Structures are given as structure tokens and as C-alpha cells.
Amino acid sequence: FEELLAEPFIRGRELTVAVLGEEALCVTELKPKADFYDFAAKYTDGLTEHVCPAEVPDDIAQAMLDMAL
């Protein structure tokens, strides 16, 4: 490749927050069926399970919602 984007691997759960306008909607956990959440897991149907809302403590979920905004 002429250009490459590389990010460090951080062990843990993959969580994301949907934001619509000025409102953070919910926390979703992404559970890839492979070893980690990569390009294929993100963009290929069936390679990732989406758990919504994520099973995280309320204080963690609220902190994530706040950060997403």
C-alpha cells in the first residue's frame, strides 16, 4: 500500500454510541465472531453481533453517552 492506517490493539470490549443531532441514543456492544473487530467484521453482514443496549453498568453507560456528545 502507498498509505496505511494502523492503530494499536487495546484489549477489551468494543463499545459504540449512536448520536443523532444533540442526543446520544444508546450504547451498543459489538461482538465480532472472529478474534477482533476488523474491517471485515465491521462491513460484512453476519460477522458481528450487535448487543443493544450494551450490558454495562449504568454509570459506565452514562459516562459513554456524555463523552459521545
Side-chain angles (χ1 to χ4, degrees), residues 36-57:
F36 60 94
Y37 190 63
D38 61 3
F39 184 88
K42 183 173 183 176
Y43 292 107
T44 306
D45 285 342
L47 293 186
T48 299
E49 175 187 0
H50 296 76
V51 179
C52 184
E55 297 172 358
V56 295

Side-chain angles (χ1 to χ4, degrees), residues 10-54:
I10 300 172
R11 186 172 310 280
R13 297 164 67 183
E14 187 76 32
L15 301 164
T16 188
V17 175
V19 176
L20 182 62
E22 299 286 325
E23 181 182 3
L25 302 178
C26 66
V27 179
T28 301
E29 181 170 7
L30 307 170
K31 293 183 171 184
K33 295 182 179 176
D35 291 333
F36 60 94
Y37 190 63
D38 61 3
F39 184 88
K42 183 173 183 176
Y43 292 107
T44 306
D45 285 342
L47 293 186
T48 299
E49 175 187 0
H50 296 76
V51 179
C52 184

